[in-house]
Amino acid sequence: MKSLLQNQEENVRRSLPMFVKFCVAQSHLGLDGFLFELPGEEFGATPEDVGNGVRRLLKVLSDADPAGVHCMDKSYVSKRGWCFEFDGCTFFVTTFAPCYPDTHSRFNFDSENSFVLLQPEESFLRHNVGTDTPHTDWENPRTVRDQIRAAYRRAGRPYSIRDTLFYPPAHDIVKPLGGDPEQDVVAWWDHRGDSN
């Protein structure tokens, strides 16, 4: 009998043809994201569990990268300069899971499962989100980015905004439950001690 982890990896492999098509068509069709669902029982109880699922998902995709970049094999996943890349597309990766309370930016609205959203960075340009900045105009949000941040805050789910633009993107893929995002990093890319 196959383990849940083997089944998850097989499911990701089965979705590869559609993900490749997405990468080819997203620019022309204005597609904004590709969503993977992970079983919450195995990959949603804690941020570390979410990270385990994310690592496995991104590794399967990376291993099958038609462009041959294999970004998950890079020695600098946890450093500035790395981003998830597949078939020539770079992605903003974010997660939502049952372990996050309704006051957290990664709250999944009481779904039993976790979700990994791969958003082409090109999508930010299409929607005129603007350049990243550590500053937000909370009182009069003019940019799309400020409007998004203000909407999250009004909904009671503010997300932490670093005071610098120079940080490793991998540190924000799986967020800690609380605390300082610069100190309480969920090292999802690190598989040491993983028995599977």
Side-chain angles (χ1 to χ4, degrees):
M1 187 169 173
K2 292 185 179 177
S3 75
L4 183 61
L5 296 173
Q6 289 171 320
N7 285 338
Q8 181 220 0
E9 291 171 0
E10 278 186 24
N11 285 336
V12 173
R13 283 186 198 91
R14 280 196 294 270
S15 66
L16 276 166
M18 186 57 68
F19 189 57
V20 169
K21 289 178 184 176
F22 170 82
C23 291
V24 170
Q26 59 85 22
S27 184
H28 303 294
L29 298 178
L31 303 176
D32 293 320
F34 197 95
L35 188 68
F36 286 93
E37 184 175 13
L38 303 178
E41 187 174 301
E42 184 73 24
F43 303 113
T46 68
E48 291 72 23
D49 291 342
V50 176
N52 185 30
V54 167
R55 184 184 69 259
R56 292 173 179 283
L57 165 73
L58 296 183
K59 177 68 171 138
V60 170
L61 294 175
S62 172
D63 286 351
D65 181 4
V69 173
H70 308 294
C71 67
M72 289 299 295
D73 294 337
K74 304 300 181 195
S75 62
Y76 54 92
V77 172
S78 66
K79 308 279 189 235
R80 288 183 4 208
W82 179 89
C83 71
F84 187 76
E85 182 176 343
F86 183 89
D87 201 16
C89 298
T90 55
F91 289 89
F92 173 81
V93 182
T94 191
T95 54
F96 304 91
C99 61
Y100 297 111
D102 64 0
T103 56
H104 199 286
S105 63
R106 301 302 178 84
F107 176 59
N108 74 346
F109 293 86
D110 297 322
S111 172
E112 293 177 0
N113 294 321
S114 298
F115 300 92
V116 181
L117 175 64
L118 282 84
Q119 184 175 8
E121 290 185 337
E122 198 175 309
S123 170
F124 291 92
L125 296 172
R126 280 195 296 272
H127 292 287
N128 198 28
V129 171
T131 57
D132 200 359
T133 174
H135 308 289
T136 302
D137 186 345
W138 299 107
E139 300 305 316
N140 189 19
R142 291 190 178 120
T143 68
V144 173
R145 186 177 303 276
D146 280 2
Q147 291 168 8
I148 292 167
R149 289 174 175 175
Y152 266 77
R153 183 190 236 187
R154 280 193 310 275
R157 289 182 273 286
Y159 56 89
S160 56
I161 301 165
R162 296 174 186 274
D163 60 3
T164 179
L165 298 179
F166 306 104
Y167 62 89
H171 290 193
D172 283 349
I173 290 176
V174 178
K175 293 280 200 174
L177 285 175
D180 183 348
E182 294 181 38
Q183 301 297 320
D184 301 325
V185 173
V186 178
W188 60 267
W189 57 87
D190 186 357
H191 67 280
R192 288 178 292 184
D194 188 2
S195 61
N196 299 305

